[in-house]
Each structure stands twice: as structure tokens, then as C-alpha cells.
Amino acid sequence: MLNVAIVGTGNISHNHIQGYLQFGQRCRIVALVDIYPEKAEEKKARYGLTEARVYASHQLMLESERSLDIVDVCTPPYVHAEISIDALRAGCHVLCEKPMAASLEECDAMIAAQKASGKTLAIIAQNRFTDAFWRLKAALDSGLAGKICHAQVDSFWWRGHCYYDLWWRGTWEKEGGGCTLNHAVHHIDAIQWMLGFPSEVVAMMTNVAHDNAEVEDLSAAIFKYPSGALTQLTASVVHHGEDQKIIIQGDKARISAPWQAFASVSADNGFPQETNDLTREAQLNAVFHETPKLAWTLHTGQIDDLLQSIERDAAPLVDGVQGKRSLELITAIYKSSITRSVVTLPIGRDDPFYRTGGTNALAPRFYEKSASVANFSEVGAIPLGKDLDRGI
């Protein structure tokens, strides 16, 4: 039986708590930590966590809990590294919410602490644990789409003006960035998982609808890969309807989430014929639909993956290195937007954008943060975006 501590009991903690409760024979929540202890007490009562003890700091919790196995970090990003490193050094496995940390320097410190401890470090990327992305990856890996030429990634979200009134949101120091970091991270992780790491990034960002936030609410980026392929990625919290998608164009076929396969056939003059490649489409559809559905999805699926990695002494699907790759792409988007340049990857340790506080020091303040609300009313588990599994 693995003992779990949840550090940070805001809205996202619902998804984590509900996930652990699915595996009552394998783990139990024994501690809840929040700088506002009443929030932890509310979660304890809501979920019947009678065995859980409440603490006001992770340091006090680590000092007091002598048989702890997993520390689950659900706090704002600026303290992810500190809590994760302290937990690893205390001999605990760590599951950390996205984004992994506030800087690439902190990512490397977390990875170093994991290696020194020999424990597991896993970073939340729950979209990998959806049938839509799992099956899209299987179709991509089949090779039936051919050489990859282009990807379109629409990380479209919508958030009301008051979203940035929460005390830590909307500032470069506490949140680390805007929609690129805290919303598009899901799709950025997914596309780098599927297509690999690009060699160059160019981007622009702006704030068009949230004048109570320092950070961007809209960005557009292009990734270029060593093969010559391009990805276009838009990150947004101004898109009504949140129409999120990934479309991958190979030289043989198009595949996407939500799922669609389409294969064009060339006429003698190079224009597409009216009849598409039904055989290739049928093969792609077969790979997609014959790939077994996941037993557990989203946060619950990733928690299951973490438990299995500990039980089997194996690496989790999304480890610290994978988590850093997503943040490196986000950092490159910010660097390109701020310096108005093409950014070559990887970002070196001597780069000011690598270091903790570097982006904060160099980033523009689109607006002055004008409100600081301590707590929003609880509305249950926060929405995680459109259901890309529709049609499966």
C-alpha cells in the first residue's frame, strides 16, 4: 500500500484525489497540504479522507510523515521545483503538475535530484492518456501517413476576464507565463511526443482580452524540424468554443484528433483526383480503431502509470526529461516573441532564458495585474478541454 500526500488543494487537486481513490487497493491519501489549511480540510471532508492529516507546509509534512511514498504536487508553478526536490531528497516518489517548473534551470535541478534519489519523477501530461491521442500516436507510428510534412496544433481555450484575478495567476513571477505555458503545454507535450524535438522556433505573442494580466493570452509559433517539416501552434484563452485539434499531414495521408483519415491521390497533372485513397484510409482507420482503448484516462490514467512504474521499478511514460522538453519549447516561444528572433534548440545553460527568473526579468508586462483574489469559489474539478475522443 503506497502512502500519498497531496501538496496544494486547489481546483486541480480534485482530479488527482479522484484518481487515487480509484486505486484503493494500491494506495491511500494520508496527508493534505495547503498554505490555506481550510482548503485542505474541505477536501478531506468532501472525499471522506479520514486518515489524512492536514498541514500548512510541505516541509512540516515531510518532517512529520515517516512512511510516505508519493508526494503529488498540485501547487502554482513557481514552487514546483522546491517541493519536488525536497520530496525526492526525503526519499519520496513525485508526481508534479504541469508545467514542470518555472525555468529550465529548475527542471535540471529536479532531474538531478531524481537521479540522486533513485526515486520516480513523473510530470503531468494527461492528454497522452486519452484514446484520441493514444490511437493517433499508433496511427502515426504505423508509417501509413508517410513522411511527416506539417502539423497544425490548435490549443484553443477560453477564460473569462476574472480568471486572472486569482492571486498567483497573470504574473510572470508566480504563474511563469500565460496561455502558452499553462494551457498549450498539453498540446505542446503531445506534439513533441508524436513528432520529436524541433531544431528551430519562431513566435509572436500578445494580450488582446485580459487587461488584468501581465502575461499573454494569445500566441502563435512555428516549429521547424531537422527533416524540414513544420508545426504551426496557436495557444489561446480567447477562443469561444475551445475547438482544440491536432492535424498531422504526411505525404501519403492526413490524420488528426478528433480522428479523421484522408488520403489524396494525384492525377496526371498533379491535382488531387476526385476519388481519394480508400485503401490507405481503410488501413489507417483499422490501426486507429484496433488499438485497444485505455483502461484509465486523463489524470487517473497517469496516476495508474505512476503506480505501475513504482510497483514494477520502471520509468513512467512522462518523466523529468519529457517534462523539460515541453518547457524548453515554451521557453523558446517566449524567447522568440520577446527578442523577435528565430531560436535554435536546445537552449544553452548560459542563455538568460535558461536561468530561473530569466523570462520574468525580460518579459513584457502587457498590463498591470489589477486584482488579487485569495480564493475562488470551488466548482469541482476544472475543465480539461474538449473531448477529442468524440467519434471513437
Side-chain angles (χ1 to χ4, degrees), residues 76-277:
Y78 74 102
V79 287
H80 282 183
E82 176 191 355
I83 297 168
S84 297
I85 291 170
D86 286 349
L88 289 163
R89 288 175 175 169
C92 300
H93 306 284
V94 170
L95 177 62
C96 181
E97 257 295 343
K98 58 77 188 170
M100 179 175 173
S103 69
L104 299 177
E105 183 178 31
E106 289 185 350
C107 288
D108 282 338
M110 291 168 69
I111 293 169
Q114 180 274 317
K115 290 179 178 177
S117 70
K119 298 297 181 177
T120 297
L121 171 63
I123 310 301
I124 287 291
Q126 78 270 7
N127 279 16
R128 292 201 196 186
F129 297 88
T130 62
D131 289 313
F133 283 0
W134 197 258
R135 289 174 160 183
L136 178 62
K137 180 73 160 58
L140 180 67
D141 290 347
S142 75
L144 288 166
K147 177 185 175 182
I148 302 307
C149 303
H150 178 265
Q152 172 188 339
V153 182
D154 293 342
S155 189
F156 292 167
W157 306 75
W158 187 91
R159 292 294 182 267
H161 188 271
C162 64
Y163 176 80
Y164 285 109
D165 287 346
L166 191 63
W167 67 274
W168 58 269
R169 287 189 190 137
T171 67
W172 289 101
E173 180 185 5
K174 293 293 191 294
E175 192 173 18
C179 57
T180 313
L181 179 71
N182 291 294
H183 291 80
V185 62
H186 301 293
H187 294 91
I188 290 170
D189 172 77
I191 202 64
Q192 71 91 13
W193 177 45
M194 294 182 194
L195 300 189
F197 206 60
S199 54
E200 293 178 291
V201 174
V202 64
M204 296 186 76
M205 66 179 176
T206 185
N207 183 319
V208 293
H210 297 85
D211 62 4
N212 57 339
E214 299 175 353
V215 299
E216 87 288 356
D217 61 9
L218 178 65
S219 69
I222 298 174
F223 304 161
K224 185 176 183 181
Y225 300 85
S227 67
L230 299 177
T231 284
Q232 292 174 261
L233 181 136
T234 304
S236 169
V237 286
V238 302
H239 276 71
H240 298 271
E242 301 190 328
D243 188 19
Q244 299 153 9
K245 64 175 74 73
I246 291 181
I247 301 172
I248 298 172
Q249 303 280 356
D251 63 352
K252 302 294 184 185
R254 165 211 198 271
I255 54 177
S256 66
W259 177 249
Q260 184 183 18
F262 189 95
S264 297
V265 174
S266 177
D268 291 342
N269 61 2
F271 287 87
Q273 292 187 18
E274 289 295 324
T275 303
N276 58 339
D277 187 348

Side-chain angles (χ1 to χ4, degrees), residues 180 200-206 218-223 233 329-343:
T180 313
E200 293 178 291
V201 174
V202 64
M204 296 186 76
M205 66 179 176
T206 185
L218 178 65
S219 69
I222 298 174
F223 304 161
L233 181 136
L329 288 175
I330 292 164
T331 302
I333 291 172
Y334 286 146
K335 179 180 178 180
S336 177
S337 300
I338 294 165
T339 63
R340 302 193 176 190
S341 64
V342 177
V343 174

